[in-house]
Amino acid sequence: MANAIILIMDGVGDLPTPKTPLQAAKKPNLDKLAEDGITGLLSPVGRGVVPGSDTSHLAIFGYEPKICYPGRGPLEALGLGMELRKGDVAFRANFATMKGGVVVDRRAGRIDTASATAISDLVSMRIEDVDVIFKNSVEHRGALVLRGPGLSHSVSETDPHAEAALPECYATEASNEARKTARIVNRFSQEVQKRLSEAPENKTREKKGLPQANVVLLRGAGSFTTVPSFEERFGIRGACIAGGALYRGVAKFIGMDIFMVPGATGDKNTDLFAKGKAALKALETHDLVFVHVKACDSFGHDGDLRGKTKMIERIDKELMPLLLKSGACIVATGDHSTPCCRKEHSGHEVPILMYGPQERSDDVEKFDEVSCMAGGIGHITGKHVMPMMLNLMGKGKKFGS
Amino acid sequence: MANAIILIMDGVGDLPTPKTPLQAAKKPNLDKLAEDGITGLLSPVGRGVVPGSDTSHLAIFGYEPKICYPGRGPLEALGLGMELRKGDVAFRANFATMKGGVVVDRRAGRIDTASATAISDLVSMRIEDVDVIFKNSVEHRGALVLRGPGLSHSVSETDPHAEAALPECYATEASNEARKTARIVNRFSQEVQKRLSEAPENKTREKKGLPQANVVLLRGAGSFTTVPSFEERFGIRGACIAGGALYRGVAKFIGMDIFMVPGATGDKNTDLFAKGKAALKALETHDLVFVHVKACDSFGHDGDLRGKTKMIERIDKELMPLLLKSGACIVATGDHSTPCCRKEHSGHEVPILMYGPQERSDDVEKFDEVSCMAGGIGHITGKHVMPMMLNLMGKGKKFGS
């Protein structure tokens, strides 16, 4: 019986140009684990399927996203520490800038967090019998929750994804709940523009020549539901160490405990050493510690092959030695590929390695997309990860006698 | 069109210390089959899932255990040759010793079979409108069947699994059937104690200083149901050669014919030569012969690496030459791993080989957990075995035209 760490490097999988970042990176620690452990290739959501980060993480932790994905909004809201109730409809929300009826900047000039916080109270309000609750996070980002009777997530988004008029929200199914929710969202869009345009903070920004944050764009609508907790499902306690709110949201959704780590920002300068130390701490009280590193994906989206390679090298140098020190079983993988040549998620498999003392080993000596093709794990999907990880830890429940 | 033998070595899979028993054993016959045939890795119930022996065998023979596992009790009862009817509730039953209200020996000092048989009639009785039918097998072991209207398997066991008071049986679901069954079981526990403590055989045992067999412990409750027979499902006749009652029970449950073999004990001294001869005999009248060898699992549970290795060598030397002589297609595998370092079942894959004249062959030359990682079969689960075996035999039914 052993504890385990699962390291998920977001979007780490890639395509050869001619080497993938995992092939190009100097990563002696990950390669040593591949050599001593057993490797394979993982398609979190299904062979060839292009996963979102949220659906992929759910799948890896044994929650079939086709059944229990609540949408991005609720996961973001949970990740920001908002408490959700069954039936709440939540959205991913962005401060943005409107001029002459047109959304001219979808991020309000990447408004600084302090400035966004100064106006955030104005975004919460009550419309009809619905509480509209907003919380901002980093820069322009935040989440919005609608709480009240008879709501539905079947409504369109209000993010135009381009310089264009603010889209009207409409019901995407023929139900009173969806029509009501669309009506509330449209009243919110009007009211929030009115409130924000009068905010002193925005007057100050205007004087400084900064774009006003005078509207809030909504997308990723989802209805909050509950799922059986990670501990109920698997009989083990899980802890999450992640800079990005979405990942903490997934972890909270399934009942993991969240360890907040100062310096773990979810961006390219995240403090990997601090995350490693937090992982060791979390292992004292939890069976499984989920460590998430976001930046590989961000470099992939930017098409920055060199940046992605260096990020993998940083993980190997700054994070891996601490994880290895723990003596825990280690699983390392990604949630999907984000090939630099595509700048977006793809359905290509990601390498996975599993290491434990006295476990089986294969002939693979490198942790990358090509070497792991010959691995002893073969090709697996997300649903296989938890049973295999529990078995690695010696904590699988026997079925039958 | 050919007949086939499937050899299932119970719990044969293991972990490296530094070699697994399959890697360490001298087994020229199995290795030759691996060389000439095609190999891979099998997860009977699902990747990483820790199987019981019963669920695993059901899965390998194409009976999804999540749907049709009747519980251990009915399988044990069938394996002892008891006839079951739909609605019967059956238990695995043990003679045990109580003193001063405490179960002091869960096996009544491993009472000899003759002594157990002498008192076995006392265990059968009628309570309310329910027939309580007992049959003993080897030593302290047996099975108990409740037959009557309105029974349920949703009741707790009466085996304390430790030196402790005899547990009261209670309903584990809120139904009249479960409450009635618990009431019958509790009345049985009282009545059987009374009857056995008065039995002359127990007086004799007491005089000899042997522990009395004065109570019967029940576990593994299951309701008997029927499933479509092996022949209906696959169009072939199956025969079973197994020393352990549970395995004969699984075979009978799915409609295989049971070949009883004197000397096939299911323990470490089982007569493998006799089993091999019986397999040849069974092949004259049956398409598929299932040969089960239990002892690899027993050595695994004991943590006896050397014993497990020697048992594999015995199988290779004493059983395999006969099986090879048959000219039948041969499938060899295990039902799960029982790593000696864990002393219990695990969810690690087991190697599988399939051999037939004029079949495909891969580059694998050894039959073990690591060599078979590179096998041409890849990674399969239980549900794949029957279609592949039928195909190997040239007896698969075409789907479509």
Side-chain angles (χ1 to χ4, degrees):
Chain A
M1 298 267 280
N3 290 354
I5 294 169
I6 178 166
L7 167 66
I8 301 186
M9 294 172 277
D10 208 287
V12 76
D14 215 298
L15 293 170
T17 53
K19 283 188 177 179
T20 69
L22 274 172
Q23 287 180 307
K26 282 191 197 99
K27 46 175 194 357
N29 289 310
L30 282 163
D31 287 342
K32 182 75 168 62
L33 278 180
E35 189 179 338
D36 295 345
I38 188 166
T39 66
L41 290 166
L42 168 67
S43 300
V45 178
R47 278 306 279 272
V49 177
V50 184
S53 283
D54 41 16
T55 50
S56 175
H57 277 80
L58 283 172
I60 290 171
F61 290 120
Y63 290 79
E64 168 55 64
K66 276 180 202 138
I67 294 168
C68 59
Y69 176 51
R72 176 148 186 182
L75 298 177
E76 287 275 356
L78 287 173
L80 296 186
M82 298 173 85
E83 293 298 331
L84 293 184
R85 300 181 193 162
K86 216 165 171 165
D88 286 356
V89 171
F91 299 84
R92 166 76 195 271
N94 269 15
F95 279 114
T97 307
M98 280 190 77
K99 234 181 219 170
V102 171
V103 178
V104 292
D105 186 332
R106 289 177 59 246
R107 297 182 184 89
R110 288 197 185 270
I111 181 172
D112 63 291
T113 306
S115 188
T117 304
I119 53 173
S120 68
D121 280 353
L122 296 170
V123 183
S124 295
M125 57 186 75
R126 189 171 169 87
I127 301 174
E128 298 181 17
D129 55 358
V130 175
D131 285 319
V132 179
I133 310 156
F134 175 77
K135 187 168 178 182
N136 67 312
S137 59
V138 177
E139 297 177 341
H140 55 283
R141 300 179 190 91
L144 189 95
V145 174
L146 305 186
R147 177 171 298 153
L151 297 173
S152 162
H153 65 277
S154 297
V155 294
S156 65
E157 59 179 305
T158 64
D159 186 336
H161 292 283
E163 197 167 313
L166 185 75
E168 191 145 341
C169 178
Y170 56 89
T172 57
E173 67 172 28
S175 73
N176 288 336
E177 289 78 8
R179 278 190 288 267
K180 173 179 175 178
T181 309
R183 187 172 71 235
I184 301 284
V185 166
N186 287 324
R187 282 199 47 195
F188 165 78
S189 289
Q190 295 308 313
E191 179 66 21
V192 82
Q193 284 180 67
K194 200 175 124 206
R195 288 186 180 197
L196 289 177
S197 59
E198 291 162 3
E201 180 69 25
N202 267 325
K203 308 273 181 208
T204 313
R205 288 180 67 80
E206 198 168 23
K207 274 180 209 154
K208 287 186 189 166
L210 294 168
Q212 288 198 19
N214 55 12
V215 71
V216 172
L217 308 179
L218 305 180
R219 57 193 165 101
S223 296
F224 182 65
T225 49
T226 53
V227 290
S229 79
F230 196 72
E231 194 167 352
E232 280 174 73
R233 290 275 308 280
F234 305 114
I236 60 170
R237 290 187 67 195
C240 163
I241 292 165
L246 180 63
Y247 310 94
R248 294 197 302 267
V250 170
K252 193 162 176 198
F253 180 62
I254 64 176
M256 285 186 175
D257 294 322
I258 312 299
F259 278 60
M260 291 302 287
V261 180
T265 55
D267 66 24
K268 295 166 184 174
N269 301 311
T270 191
D271 186 343
L272 293 170
F273 186 73
K275 289 173 93 160
K277 287 218 312 192
L280 297 186
K281 184 86 191 151
L283 272 176
E284 292 172 10
T285 48
H286 290 72
D287 306 285
L288 178 71
V289 178
F290 154 42
V291 180
H292 181 263
V293 181
K294 173 70 181 168
C296 305
D297 179 58
S298 309
F299 283 114
H301 281 289
D302 295 346
D304 184 350
L305 198 70
R306 197 180 145 77
K308 192 167 172 179
T309 305
K310 291 277 167 208
M311 190 69 210
I312 293 164
E313 292 182 346
R314 269 193 64 205
I315 291 169
D316 196 75
K317 195 173 171 185
E318 298 168 28
L319 179 59
M320 289 310 299
L322 284 160
L323 303 189
L324 290 169
K325 210 174 121 183
S326 71
C329 300
I330 293 185
V331 176
T333 189
D335 60 342
H336 53 78
S337 294
T338 307
C340 291
C341 59
R342 292 197 182 186
K343 299 187 181 179
E344 57 187 12
H345 296 192
S346 81
H348 296 91
E349 294 173 293
V350 285
I352 182 166
L353 74 79
M354 295 191 168
Y355 168 81
Q358 247 182 340
E359 281 293 316
R360 293 178 188 167
S361 179
D362 55 28
D363 291 338
V364 173
E365 296 183 349
K366 300 272 179 192
F367 183 67
D368 62 60
E369 299 86 344
V370 177
S371 302
C372 292
M373 287 178 187
I377 288 175
H379 303 262
I380 58 172
T381 61
K383 70 177 175 190
H384 301 119
V385 175
M386 278 307 302
M388 289 175 74
M389 199 149 56
L390 287 167
N391 183 51
L392 180 74
M393 299 163 76
K395 292 181 181 179
K397 284 181 206 151
K398 189 164 71 174
F399 170 43
S401 68
Chain B
M1 298 267 283
N3 289 354
I5 294 168
I6 178 166
L7 166 65
I8 302 186
M9 294 171 276
D10 209 285
V12 77
D14 216 297
L15 292 171
T17 54
K19 284 188 177 178
T20 69
L22 274 172
Q23 286 180 307
K26 282 191 197 98
K27 47 177 190 3
N29 289 310
L30 282 163
D31 287 342
K32 182 71 167 63
L33 278 181
E35 189 179 339
D36 295 345
I38 188 165
T39 67
L41 290 164
L42 168 67
S43 300
V45 178
R47 276 308 280 275
V49 177
V50 183
S53 283
D54 41 16
T55 51
S56 177
H57 277 79
L58 283 172
I60 289 171
F61 290 119
Y63 290 79
E64 168 55 64
K66 275 181 201 134
I67 294 167
C68 60
Y69 176 51
R72 176 148 186 181
L75 298 176
E76 288 275 357
L78 288 173
L80 296 186
M82 298 173 87
E83 293 298 331
L84 293 183
R85 300 182 194 161
K86 216 165 171 167
D88 286 357
V89 172
F91 300 83
R92 166 77 195 270
N94 269 14
F95 279 113
T97 308
M98 281 190 78
K99 233 181 218 169
V102 171
V103 178
V104 293
D105 187 330
R106 290 178 58 245
R107 297 182 183 88
R110 287 197 185 270
I111 180 171
D112 62 291
T113 306
S115 187
T117 303
I119 52 174
S120 67
D121 281 352
L122 296 170
V123 184
S124 295
M125 58 185 75
R126 190 171 168 88
I127 301 174
E128 298 181 16
D129 55 358
V130 175
D131 285 320
V132 180
I133 311 154
F134 176 77
K135 185 168 179 182
N136 67 311
S137 60
V138 178
E139 297 178 339
H140 55 283
R141 300 178 190 91
L144 188 96
V145 174
L146 305 186
R147 177 171 298 153
L151 298 172
S152 163
H153 65 277
S154 296
V155 294
S156 64
E157 59 180 306
T158 64
D159 186 335
H161 292 281
E163 197 168 316
L166 184 75
E168 192 147 340
C169 178
Y170 55 87
T172 58
E173 69 171 28
S175 72
N176 288 336
E177 289 77 9
R179 278 189 287 268
K180 173 180 175 177
T181 309
R183 187 174 70 234
I184 302 284
V185 166
N186 287 323
R187 284 198 45 195
F188 165 78
S189 289
Q190 294 310 311
E191 181 66 20
V192 82
Q193 283 179 67
K194 202 175 123 205
R195 290 186 179 196
L196 290 176
S197 60
E198 291 162 3
E201 180 68 26
N202 267 324
K203 308 272 181 210
T204 313
R205 287 180 68 80
E206 198 169 25
K207 274 179 210 155
K208 288 185 190 165
L210 294 169
Q212 289 197 20
N214 55 13
V215 72
V216 173
L217 308 179
L218 305 179
R219 58 194 165 99
S223 296
F224 181 65
T225 49
T226 53
V227 291
S229 79
F230 196 72
E231 194 166 351
E232 281 174 75
R233 289 274 310 278
F234 305 114
I236 60 171
R237 289 187 67 195
C240 163
I241 292 164
L246 180 63
Y247 310 94
R248 294 197 303 267
V250 170
K252 192 162 178 196
F253 181 61
I254 65 176
M256 284 185 176
D257 293 322
I258 312 298
F259 278 62
M260 292 301 288
V261 180
T265 56
D267 66 23
K268 296 166 183 175
N269 301 311
T270 191
D271 185 343
L272 293 170
F273 185 73
K275 289 171 94 162
K277 287 217 314 188
L280 297 186
K281 183 88 190 149
L283 271 175
E284 293 171 11
T285 48
H286 291 73
D287 306 284
L288 179 70
V289 178
F290 154 43
V291 180
H292 182 263
V293 181
K294 173 71 182 167
C296 304
D297 179 58
S298 309
F299 283 113
H301 281 288
D302 295 346
D304 184 348
L305 198 70
R306 196 180 146 76
K308 192 167 172 178
T309 305
K310 291 276 168 209
M311 191 69 210
I312 294 165
E313 292 180 346
R314 269 194 64 207
I315 292 169
D316 196 76
K317 195 172 169 183
E318 298 169 26
L319 179 59
M320 289 310 298
L322 284 160
L323 304 190
L324 289 169
K325 209 173 122 184
S326 70
C329 300
I330 293 185
V331 176
T333 188
D335 60 341
H336 54 77
S337 294
T338 307
C340 291
C341 58
R342 292 195 181 188
K343 298 185 180 180
E344 58 187 11
H345 296 191
S346 82
H348 294 90
E349 295 173 291
V350 285
I352 182 166
L353 74 79
M354 294 191 168
Y355 167 81
Q358 246 179 342
E359 280 296 316
R360 295 181 188 166
S361 178
D362 56 28
D363 291 338
V364 172
E365 296 182 348
K366 300 271 178 194
F367 183 66
D368 62 60
E369 300 85 344
V370 178
S371 302
C372 292
M373 286 178 187
I377 289 177
H379 302 261
I380 59 173
T381 61
K383 70 177 174 189
H384 300 120
V385 175
M386 278 307 301
M388 289 174 74
M389 201 149 54
L390 288 167
N391 183 51
L392 180 73
M393 300 162 75
K395 293 182 181 180
K397 283 181 207 152
K398 187 164 69 173
F399 171 45
S401 64

